[in-house]
Structures are given as structure tokens and as C-alpha cells.
Amino acid sequence: LGPRQFSASTFSSQRLSRAPPPRLAAMASPADKVKIVKKRMKKFPRFQADRFKRMNQSWRKPRGIDGRVRRKFKGSTIIPNIGYGSDKKTRFRL
């Protein structure tokens, strides 16, 4: 037989002589089975950061006297507040 040419007997002898694959240990699980509830997965973008390339997307509190976001008008960007916080026991878990 040349290279890359195998007979059926070659495979059958390998199959018979092969030992079963070793069993892997079970995956680690958390000690407490608290259900993780994420109230909000999306980021809070900075108001009007999508309009200007020079403006960073990270959140800044709006402080203008006429700001729609600060005054919480309907349909405007929402402000992060304490109600979006996660459960203290599961806060930094994914």
C-alpha cells in the first residue's frame, strides 16, 4: 500500500486495540445556586455621543439647565440609577 492508502483491516485492528477515552472530571459549580438576574445588559450611552466622533460613549451625568435627559422627558436617553443594580450576591458573575 502506498501513502494515504489504508485497508479496512488497518482500521479494524486500531479500533479493537484502542482503550476507552479517559473520563474527565466534572466542571466546577458554584457553592450557592442563586439565580443570576441581570436587570439591564445594555450599556448606558452618553447623551448625544452618537452625534460626535470626538465624544466618548462612556456615561456622563447631564447637568444642563434645559437638558431633556436630565429632566427625564419621554423618549430620551435613560439615566442610570440605583434601580438598575444587580443582586449583591451575584453582582460580578457573568
Side-chain angles (χ1 to χ4, degrees), residues 17-56:
S17 64
R18 184 181 297 165
R23 290 195 162 258
L24 298 176
M27 287 183 61
S29 61
D32 56 339
K33 303 262 184 184
V34 180
K35 178 118 172 75
I36 298 172
V37 177
K38 301 284 185 193
K39 292 187 188 173
R40 182 177 168 91
M41 294 294 287
K42 287 193 282 185
K43 300 267 188 197
F44 290 95
R46 186 176 177 177
F47 178 55
Q48 288 189 338
D50 54 336
R51 292 191 179 195
F52 306 104
K53 207 170 197 177
R54 65 183 175 267
M55 198 180 237
N56 194 0

